[in-house]
Each structure stands twice: as C-alpha cells, then as structure tokens.
Amino acid sequence: MRGRTRVRWALGALVAAVLPLAACTSGAGAAGAGVLSSSWGDPQNPLEPSNTNEVQGGKVLDMIFRGLKRYDPRTGRAENMLAERIDTTDSRTYTITVKGGWRFSNGEPVTARSFVDAWNYGASLRNNQKNAYFFGYIEGYDKVHPDSGKQTADTLSGLKVTGPRTFTVTLGQKFSTFPDTLGYAAFAPLPRAFFTHHEAWLDKPVGNGPYTVESYTKGAQMYLRKWDGYPGPDKARNAGVTLMVYTDSNTAYTDVLAGNLDLADDIPAGQLKNVASDLDGRYINTPAGILQTLAFPYYDKAWNTDGARKVRTGLSMAIDRAQITKTLFRDTRTPATDWTSPVLGTAGGYQAGLCGTACEYRPAEAKKLIQEGGGLPGGQVRITYNADTGSHKEWVDAVCNSINNALGDDRACVGNPVGTFADFRGQISRHRMPGPFRAGWQMDYPLIQNFLQPLYYTDASSNDGKWSNKRFDQLVDRANAETDRKTAIRLFQQAEGVVRDNMAAVPLWYQNGSAGYSDRLHHVALNPFSVPVYDEIEVG
C-alpha cells in the first residue's frame, strides 16, 4: 500500500550531520528587529511537499504551507484549516470543499485544482517523489505508480475536480480516518507557478502559509519573512525566522549561551546535566510522537520460530529501560509501555501499559524465557546501528550491558556498528541484518494507525524486518473500514495486542523534544512532532 523509499524520522534527522557549518548569526536576528534565529540543517531534497520526508525540510514546509487539515500544536489533533467540509457516507468516497478567500503568496487563489494537481504530481512515478506512497490509498495509484514497469496513467482515477472549490477522493478501500492524514505536508496544495515555472519555484518556493522564503544560501542559512497578506488565523507573531545551518548541536547550544543564536531545538546529551541552570528556565523538554524500538530480521528463520518469540520477549525483559533513560538520557526519554506514543492520548489509541510485564525489567524471567526459547540464535545478539551520528553507540552499549547482566554472560549481546547511515539503510534494504537492529519512528500524523500499519502490516513500506501475521492484517483492515472512530481505534488496539503477543519489535522508549532559547524570545513551544511552533514565538 505504501512505497518502499520512506526514510523514517530517526534516519532523516541525520541530514544536518553532513553539511558545512554556517557562520553564526547575531542575537539581534540575521535580518533585522523582530526576526529570530534558529538552528537548522539543509534539506535533503528540494522543498516539494511530496518530496520532503525529513525533519529539516519539514520545518520549512510547516512555515510556508497550510493544507486541508492542521495538527493542533498543543494536542496534535487534526483540525480543519483549508477544508470547509469533508463529507463521506461510506468511508471510501470523500467530497472535499475548500474554504474560499485563500491565496498563495504570489496572489494565485487556492482552489480544488490546487490540491488535485499537487496530489497527481506527487503520486506520479515519473516525478520520483519520496512521499508518493501517501497517495497509495487513492484509487488508480497502481496505474500512476506501479511497483514495476512504466506508469500507464497520468492522473489518479480516484481524484475528480467537481467545482472551483470542490473535489472528490475515492479510495481503493475503506479508510475511516483518512481525513485525519490530510494535515501531512505531502497533501499540501501547489500554485500553477509550480508547474509552469518549476525551476524558478524550486529556487524560491511559493506557498500559502504564514511565511515566505526570501533567500536561501545552501550550507549557511535560509531567511523566511512574515507574510503580511496571510489569510489564516495563525499569523506569525514575529517578523521572520532565519534558519542557521549547524552540523554540531554542541556548537548551536554554545551559541545560544553566548547570545549568537536565539533557538536550538536539539539539546546534545552531554549538555543535559547543565541545561536547566545554564538557560535559567529557558529549556523545553516535552513529549513527542517518537518511538525507538529494536526490530528483528524475520527473513532469518532463526528469528522466525515459536521459540524465537520467547527469546524476543526475554530480550525485552532483560532491558532496564528506566535506568538507561535516567542515566544516559536524563529523562529526555521515557520507558515505552506500548508501540505508539503518549502524545496520541487515549482518544488517539494510546494504551499505557499495553506491553505489560514484557516491557518491565525482570532479569530472572528474561533468562528463563530465552532458555525455553532455545537460546539466542547463533549464541549471541548483535544489535546493528549506524555509527556516523547521534548517540546510538551509547544506548546500544547500555542495552547490551543490561542484557549481559540479566543473562550472566558478558558476550551475550554486542553492538554491531555500520560506518554510515547510507550503508546501514542499504543493508536493511537488502535484508542483511544479522540480528536485532535499531529502528526509530516519528509519526507522520497523530493516529494509532500510523504507528502500526506502515511498520507491521505484511509487505508494508517500512516493515523492514518483513514480519507478517494474518490476524494483525485482518484487524487493521477491519479498523480501516470501520466508520465509527471509537470502534476503529479499539480494533487497532487489538491489532497492537497481536504485536505485543508476538513481540514483533521491542519498544524501548518514547523520545521527547528538547530546545533551549535566548532571553529575546517569548512563548516558545514545541509541537507534538518536536518542531518549534515558529509562528507563535515573539521577539523582544
């Protein structure tokens, strides 16, 4: 249902790690009074909404675009933005009415065709867009983006413009929560200038959000100015934002302390012990829709047996999550007790404690389960991770130490570093993992479905370990087809129970968003995706 090119959050966020370091901005803002400066990394790809699937580019799209829905920056709830109405009688065909009065910053009106043309562009195989699979639910996707061979249609048969502000969307199967996905950037509208003057648009993207891109110097900075003509209710409260490229989060942190940078939205682990006192209360540590797990190679028969299920559960019980998150991450991570995220809330499907004792540190039971399961495949667990960025080595070593202590064997678990992220992903794609491997997930939209279907459904886009379970698939299909939201969530939770009973992946911890800022800024907050809510920040 989804494509196979998705780069997940924990991977896409690494883009900034390979870029030149920018010159520092001044505390007064890089483009005048009322402008704030913030740490950033160059986007991986041009800022086409359907081609941006990493954090740094996503920050810009959140500033220059508004879609049919917007996720509330406090609750994450999907709320109508440009959608006046989204109607359906069968959870398969949706009639969408776009609000009047909206324009792009170049003066073009936002119409139904602005969405339909953008979605057709994003879905087309010939345009090679990384987010193409988001349109995979729409009827006709197999024709415009086939798994093999050339596309046989230019547009999705499930999209029809029915009026200046109305269009219909017909899905290939029922999907009751489809409207809630429409706040994701891939579904943003595009002006005609995107198609008629494409290269010029790529040089200076034109959107319909509260900011406009004024200038961009790759490897240095991007300046976004407040758009005074923005018609939405969430107008920018500052004059603009200068995004400064940093390759080292420690340097960004130091610049905040020195007054050379206003906002750093990634506090390095080594500074966590000092950040509260260093910044005198100007430190944010809030939950985000991010989950870290250990995935398994189910294409290796040794990990895909009834006995291996006990081994996987035993490994989960051998990990002292509370100790690791407290000592290594200093409470910027929270031990996971399910396979979603607390930011969903109970209404969104989060069930605290769903994992039960399997996610508690019980070394004696862990050792017994692993023995009953036939022991560790090959006699040793090798946790694979990329070593070129982040603190992956530290936490993998901590997890292995915990497992070794539980099993009374200092060689039971070892880290298996891969030099680069590209090589790491290459080995995963070629199904070369010798054992458990690190997997991170940042939600695309705040639904329990997004934490389950892409990762565990048979042959799903991000099911890197190739786990497959018919009962799970059936429950997901039933949940998607259910028109009552509460019933759908209950079915998704039953599907999550199947993940638990099989320990399809070991949940480790929920990750918080963190940021530090200068005394020039007020009303600084991170949204549930761990991105600063730039339009709410006041300067002065």
Side-chain angles (χ1 to χ4, degrees):
M1 191 172 295
R2 290 174 171 236
R4 294 174 174 78
T5 58
R6 177 66 167 165
V7 181
R8 301 304 340 150
W9 162 81
L11 315 176
L14 308 180
V15 173
V18 295
L19 301 167
L21 183 64
C24 295
T25 183
S26 68
V35 176
L36 67 106
S37 56
S38 182
S39 61
W40 187 55
D42 282 310
Q44 184 179 18
N45 302 297
L47 291 170
E48 298 167 302
S50 57
N51 204 33
T52 298
N53 66 348
E54 40 76 35
V55 173
Q56 305 306 330
K59 291 177 184 177
V60 180
L61 295 185
D62 284 345
M63 300 167 75
I64 67 174
F65 279 104
R66 288 294 179 262
L68 293 167
K69 294 272 188 176
R70 189 190 183 208
Y71 301 117
D72 184 281
R74 299 291 179 272
T75 67
R77 186 179 297 109
E79 299 176 340
N80 281 355
M81 180 54 76
L82 269 75
E84 183 175 290
R85 295 181 61 182
I86 300 178
D87 300 313
T88 185
T89 58
D90 60 2
S91 295
R92 183 174 177 184
T93 298
Y94 292 85
T95 298
I96 297 175
T97 303
V98 180
K99 291 178 181 177
W102 279 81
R103 292 186 174 274
F104 294 99
S105 60
N106 66 354
E108 290 184 38
V110 180
T111 65
R113 186 162 294 282
S114 305
F115 288 95
V116 171
D117 287 350
W119 297 6
N120 278 323
Y121 177 88
S124 175
L125 178 63
R126 66 172 60 96
N127 294 326
N128 194 31
Q129 300 288 284
K130 291 187 178 298
N131 285 333
Y133 61 87
F134 272 97
F135 308 102
Y137 292 105
I138 301 175
E139 205 168 69
Y141 182 76
D142 58 333
K143 300 293 192 301
V144 302
H145 203 114
D147 288 336
S148 60
K150 295 181 179 181
Q151 65 185 87
T152 57
D154 293 327
T155 59
L156 293 160
S157 60
L159 292 180
K160 302 289 184 185
V161 174
T162 56
R165 293 193 293 115
T166 58
F167 67 103
T168 59
V169 184
T170 302
L171 308 181
Q173 67 177 74
K174 290 184 178 181
F175 185 8
S176 61
T177 51
F178 173 71
D180 287 353
T181 72
L182 299 179
Y184 186 61
F187 295 103
L190 288 170
R192 291 306 305 160
F194 175 88
F195 303 98
T196 59
H197 298 86
H198 191 66
E199 292 302 318
W201 191 97
L202 293 179
D203 288 339
K204 193 174 182 180
V206 173
N208 65 324
Y211 294 90
T212 61
V213 176
E214 291 300 296
S215 63
Y216 174 40
T217 303
K218 186 175 176 63
Q221 66 182 42
M222 176 180 284
Y223 171 49
L224 297 106
R225 183 165 62 96
K226 175 184 178 180
W227 177 28
D228 291 330
Y230 174 65
D234 52 334
K235 298 179 185 296
R237 301 178 187 176
N238 49 69
V241 179
T242 301
L243 299 173
M244 307 296 296
V245 175
Y246 283 83
T247 63
D248 185 348
S249 57
N250 282 288
T251 304
Y253 180 77
T254 301
D255 277 353
V256 170
L257 294 182
N260 295 323
L261 183 71
D262 289 318
L263 174 62
D265 64 352
D266 180 18
I267 304 301
Q271 303 290 352
L272 291 174
K273 61 182 181 294
N274 302 317
V275 64
S277 57
D278 283 350
L279 292 175
D280 191 25
R282 301 187 307 277
Y283 166 56
I284 301 172
N285 177 29
T286 57
I290 304 169
L291 177 69
Q292 185 80 44
T293 66
L294 288 181
F296 294 92
Y298 290 95
Y299 44 80
D300 181 345
K301 292 182 180 179
W303 285 101
N304 199 5
T305 66
D306 287 339
R309 178 180 56 80
K310 289 187 175 183
V311 173
R312 296 192 299 271
T313 303
L315 288 172
S316 178
M317 298 173 78
I319 299 171
D320 193 343
R321 295 165 177 79
Q323 181 68 15
I324 293 171
T325 54
K326 182 171 183 173
T327 60
L328 181 61
F329 293 117
R330 293 183 178 270
D331 298 320
T332 59
R333 312 289 192 275
T334 305
T337 65
D338 87 320
W339 284 261
T340 66
S341 168
V343 302
L344 297 180
T346 55
Y350 170 65
Q351 256 192 317
L354 179 73
C355 187
T357 58
C359 285
E360 296 176 3
Y361 182 55
R362 300 193 173 206
E365 293 180 47
K367 186 173 183 179
K368 180 182 178 183
L369 272 174
I370 290 172
Q371 290 173 342
E372 290 177 356
L376 300 175
Q380 185 183 61
V381 169
R382 298 169 63 198
I383 299 178
T384 304
Y385 63 96
N386 60 296
D388 57 346
T389 189
S391 57
H392 304 312
K393 181 182 187 304
E394 288 79 4
W395 72 254
V396 169
D397 287 348
V399 166
C400 277
N401 286 337
S402 183
I403 292 172
N404 292 342
N405 289 336
L407 301 186
D409 178 359
D410 62 6
R411 296 294 298 166
C413 179
V414 297
N416 181 42
V418 175
T420 67
F421 166 68
D423 287 343
F424 175 64
R425 286 301 306 173
Q427 291 185 26
I428 289 174
S429 299
R430 295 192 301 273
H431 303 151
R432 299 286 179 83
M433 290 294 101
F437 54 99
R438 81 165 189 89
W441 185 262
Q442 181 185 36
M443 64 183 184
D444 299 310
Y445 41 85
L447 292 175
I448 182 175
Q449 179 264 358
N450 187 239
F451 281 90
L452 298 179
Q453 186 165 351
L455 293 163
Y456 307 113
Y457 197 91
T458 300
D459 292 329
S461 59
S462 295
N463 188 348
D464 291 327
K466 309 304 288 185
W467 185 69
S468 180
N469 183 283
K470 290 182 179 179
R471 174 65 174 160
F472 174 87
D473 291 354
Q474 290 168 352
L475 286 166
V476 167
D477 288 343
R478 287 176 56 196
N480 281 333
E482 181 55 57
T483 56
D484 178 71
R485 182 183 177 90
K486 289 183 179 179
T487 303
I489 287 175
R490 187 162 60 249
L491 289 167
F492 278 125
Q493 289 174 333
Q494 291 178 28
E496 189 181 358
V498 177
V499 171
R500 173 200 59 206
D501 295 342
N502 289 273
M503 194 55 68
V506 173
L508 296 174
W509 38 75
Y510 312 117
Q511 183 166 323
N512 285 9
S514 63
Y517 55 96
S518 72
D519 57 9
R520 297 181 67 238
L521 304 188
H522 309 281
H523 306 293
V524 182
L526 300 178
N527 66 23
F529 301 88
S530 78
V531 174
V533 187
Y534 291 108
D535 57 85
E536 293 186 357
I537 299 175
E538 297 179 1
V539 182

